[in-house]
Amino acid sequence: MDNEVKNWLRPNPLQFNIFYNNGRRYEPDFVVETDNTIYLVEVKARNMMKDPDVLAKKERALQYCKIATDYGKANNFKEWKYLFIPAAE
């Protein structure tokens, strides 16, 4: 494990309330915590990077991270970032 990673988890199906495309639930592949940041991590095959559903999930995850970061800044919590990782096909 990378020394920067403090904790990580694979979220359960109802852990996040992130919705896209008229109520479809988005579940990040992983959540990774470092000293300063919490990452929502999505791993997708390169051939799926422009898929409309994948892009809709990405947009909602970016919005979620912005809201979580804004709340965190106001309450002395960590910043949230979205990490979109292309995987081999």
Side-chain angles (χ1 to χ4, degrees), residues 40-54:
L40 288 184
V41 180
E42 185 72 23
V43 180
K44 287 291 178 212
R46 289 187 191 278
N47 65 349
M48 296 293 294
M49 299 295 278
K50 295 190 181 197
D51 179 83
D53 274 353
V54 171

Side-chain angles (χ1 to χ4, degrees), residues 1 5-13 15-16 27-33 38-42 80:
M1 180 179 346
V5 173
K6 302 302 176 196
N7 292 300
W8 70 274
L9 65 89
R10 182 161 179 95
N12 83 38
Q15 193 153 357
F16 286 90
E27 300 163 20
D29 291 331
F30 298 97
V31 178
V32 177
E33 180 183 14
I38 298 174
Y39 295 92
L40 288 184
V41 180
E42 185 72 23
W80 285 69

Side-chain angles (χ1 to χ4, degrees), residues 16-18 40 60-69 80:
F16 286 90
N17 289 318
I18 304 173
L40 288 184
R60 293 298 293 155
L62 288 167
Q63 290 173 355
Y64 181 93
C65 289
K66 182 187 179 330
I67 292 166
T69 294
W80 285 69

